[in-house]
Amino acid sequence: MINTLNESSLHKTLKTLYALDKGARTEVQIGNWICDIIKEDGHIIEIQTSNVSKLLQKIRDFHSSGHNVTVVHPVIFQKFIELSDPKGHIIYRRKSPKQESIYSVLRELTGLYPVLLDNRFSLELPEIIITECRTQTTVPVQLVNKSRRFLRPWIKTDKKLVSINKIFTLKKAEDYLSLIPILSVPEFSAEDIADALKKDTALAKTAYRHAHILLWILAHMELIAYTSTKNRRRYYKIKQFSSR
């Protein structure tokens, strides 16, 4: 099979769900790239669980060949950790305290801002619950990518989809501007946005940490404009705010 050697169960399941439309095909070569799904009308769907920013050239090439593109990037609303011994027997299953929100993906979008408002592009963010599978090791080990600061006596072996809560779609300017908490407008700073996100109990507790990245993306998309600096805070407004 093409391009599926290191594919997780999460990626496979999402690809299967998004390829249910009649006439959809998976793992199709378009130019120099392999796309995850191409629908009967030529619409391409890319399932990307990480490193979304690296898709910029791929998206541009698909656009150049006349295809609309949707990138699907899951938001892990809740995660369960399942640890097994080397023989596959489950040792324990527990709920992880870590939680993501739609704001958690903003850092991934810093490399995609040039195409975010292209009328041939859309971003879908399914809010999901997953199980992260781990296998116990006899001694603490490092990951293949050398990313661990401290060695751990287990390795990640898979991610499995448990359920999808809802799906956020970002396509138009209004969709991205809606990420600004209404309490922060008409003039706002990153600190104002962070304070408003802290008060939103429906969001992950870490959502406020992404306020500066949100402003960076919106500014590069030319959806907001700098107005002034007050008390060392940079203030912005939404362009043509009255028409929002």
Side-chain angles (χ1 to χ4, degrees):
M1 292 182 68
I2 302 173
N3 202 36
T4 60
L5 184 61
N6 296 314
E7 192 176 34
S8 69
S9 294
L10 172 60
H11 189 279
K12 290 178 183 176
T13 303
L14 288 173
K15 186 165 67 175
T16 299
L17 290 173
Y18 275 86
L20 289 177
D21 286 352
K22 181 181 177 181
R25 294 179 292 152
T26 62
E27 302 299 325
V28 177
Q29 183 156 358
I30 306 292
N32 296 322
W33 305 97
I34 302 295
C35 70
D36 283 327
I37 303 164
I38 184 166
K39 300 171 73 174
E40 195 170 28
D41 62 0
H43 192 126
I44 289 172
I45 300 176
E46 285 291 305
I47 311 295
Q48 196 77 3
T49 57
S50 62
N51 300 320
V52 176
S53 289
K54 293 183 178 181
L55 291 177
L56 181 60
Q57 190 56 53
K58 190 175 187 179
I59 293 167
R60 281 177 162 167
D61 287 352
F62 286 157
H63 282 169
S64 295
S65 58
H67 297 278
N68 290 345
V69 180
T70 295
V71 170
V72 177
H73 179 56
V75 176
I76 302 175
F77 174 74
Q78 192 174 90
K79 178 169 69 175
F80 292 92
I81 296 172
E82 190 172 272
L83 180 69
S84 301
D85 65 22
K87 293 183 178 181
H89 300 127
I90 297 176
I91 298 172
Y92 66 74
R93 177 181 168 85
R94 65 176 175 84
K95 182 179 176 181
S96 171
K98 293 183 179 180
Q99 188 181 27
E100 293 182 352
S101 70
I102 189 172
Y103 295 91
S104 305
V105 307
L106 293 175
R107 191 174 297 279
E108 293 277 3
L109 301 185
T110 55
L112 283 191
Y113 76 84
V115 297
L116 293 180
L117 292 180
D118 193 299
N119 59 14
R120 297 164 296 174
F121 178 81
S122 61
L123 181 67
E124 286 200 7
L125 306 172
E127 184 182 85
I128 65 173
I129 299 174
I130 69 164
T131 293
E132 180 180 284
C133 302
R134 300 175 178 179
T135 298
Q136 192 177 50
T137 57
T138 54
V139 296
V141 295
Q142 179 59 274
L143 298 178
V144 175
N145 61 7
K146 310 293 184 184
S147 62
R148 278 182 173 165
R149 184 177 179 183
F150 302 105
L151 302 185
R152 298 282 188 256
W154 51 265
I155 55 172
K156 295 180 185 179
T157 52
D158 204 1
K159 291 180 180 178
K160 298 179 180 179
L161 179 67
V162 175
S163 63
I164 298 176
N165 290 346
K166 54 187 173 183
I167 298 176
F168 301 97
T169 299
L170 300 177
K171 181 174 178 63
K172 302 176 293 183
E174 292 84 354
D175 299 329
Y176 289 93
L177 290 173
S178 69
L179 297 176
I180 301 173
I182 195 65
L183 294 176
S184 302
V185 295
E187 190 179 53
F188 46 86
S189 67
E191 291 79 6
D192 293 330
I193 290 177
D195 288 343
L197 293 178
K198 287 178 183 178
K199 296 174 182 176
D200 190 340
T201 57
L203 293 174
K205 293 181 179 179
T206 57
Y208 75 93
R209 297 178 183 174
H210 308 285
H212 284 87
I213 302 173
L214 174 60
L215 290 188
W216 187 94
I217 291 173
L218 295 179
H220 280 73
M221 293 170 71
E222 299 184 354
L223 295 179
I224 61 174
Y226 167 76
T227 57
S228 62
T229 298
K230 305 172 188 176
N231 298 322
R232 298 185 180 180
R233 294 185 177 186
R234 291 176 62 85
Y235 282 83
Y236 298 82
K237 67 177 180 180
I238 296 172
K239 289 188 174 181
Q240 298 181 339
F241 173 74
S242 60
S243 64
R244 186 186 176 196

